[in-house]
Amino acid sequence: MDGTKNEANANRYTFVWGKAVNKHKAKLQEKVQALFEGIEAAEKQEEQEHRGQDLNELGGSTEMNSGKLEQVTQALESQLLEKPKDKSLKKAVRKLRKDLLPRLQKYEQYQKLLGDRNSFSK
């Protein structure tokens, strides 16, 4: 041996497991629903109209995909333009844009790569 050091890439963080993806995606869906419920509660406190639709109608299905979440986020952003001083709405939109939407897209991509397998290597 000449003393050369090679970096190994076979640690436990290089695999994506199907059960873990499903579990994390379900938790993310719960967070999105809780966020929508919080926004709806704030809206009811202020007793303002929401263009005839409430957030439960926009995101009311149990399975939220990234396309639906993107549409809801855009609707919330347009609502934010009408009343820019609503801090709770601004915080929710920021959380959707920066955290929840990218994670949901990543989990959907992982599920697509998994197919019918149990795991794959990054």
Side-chain angles (χ1 to χ4, degrees):
M1 300 296 277
D2 62 353
T4 304
K5 295 182 181 180
N6 294 326
E7 184 176 340
N9 195 13
N11 63 18
R12 66 180 181 166
Y13 300 113
T14 61
F15 284 91
V16 176
W17 300 99
K19 285 185 180 181
V21 170
N22 292 335
K23 179 180 74 172
H24 291 306
K25 187 176 178 184
K27 285 183 181 180
L28 183 70
Q29 301 252 347
E30 290 173 10
K31 283 185 181 181
V32 168
Q33 292 298 328
L35 184 67
F36 287 160
E37 289 171 5
I39 294 172
E40 188 67 31
E43 291 269 330
K44 285 182 181 179
Q45 277 184 347
E46 296 172 2
E47 293 187 42
Q48 295 178 350
E49 285 294 316
H50 189 282
R51 290 194 204 118
Q53 291 181 337
D54 59 354
L55 290 173
N56 290 331
E57 292 174 2
L58 293 172
S61 66
T62 57
E63 185 71 26
M64 178 70 71
N65 62 18
S66 61
K68 284 183 185 179
L69 192 58
E70 178 69 34
Q71 290 174 352
V72 170
T73 305
Q74 288 176 355
L76 289 173
E77 286 174 343
S78 66
Q79 183 183 359
L80 188 60
L81 291 175
E82 294 173 6
K83 48 182 180 178
K85 295 190 179 201
D86 190 357
K87 288 187 179 187
S88 64
L89 185 61
K90 196 180 287 189
K91 181 180 177 182
V93 168
R94 188 178 322 115
K95 185 172 184 173
L96 283 169
R97 270 286 166 219
K98 301 283 184 186
D99 183 35
L100 300 178
L101 187 61
R103 283 176 42 203
L104 185 60
Q105 290 170 342
K106 179 178 76 169
Y107 294 147
E108 287 176 351
Q109 180 187 10
Y110 283 172
Q111 284 183 329
K112 185 177 167 184
L113 285 172
L114 278 168
D116 57 349
R117 298 177 294 174
N118 289 333
S119 65
F120 70 91
S121 178
K122 291 183 193 176

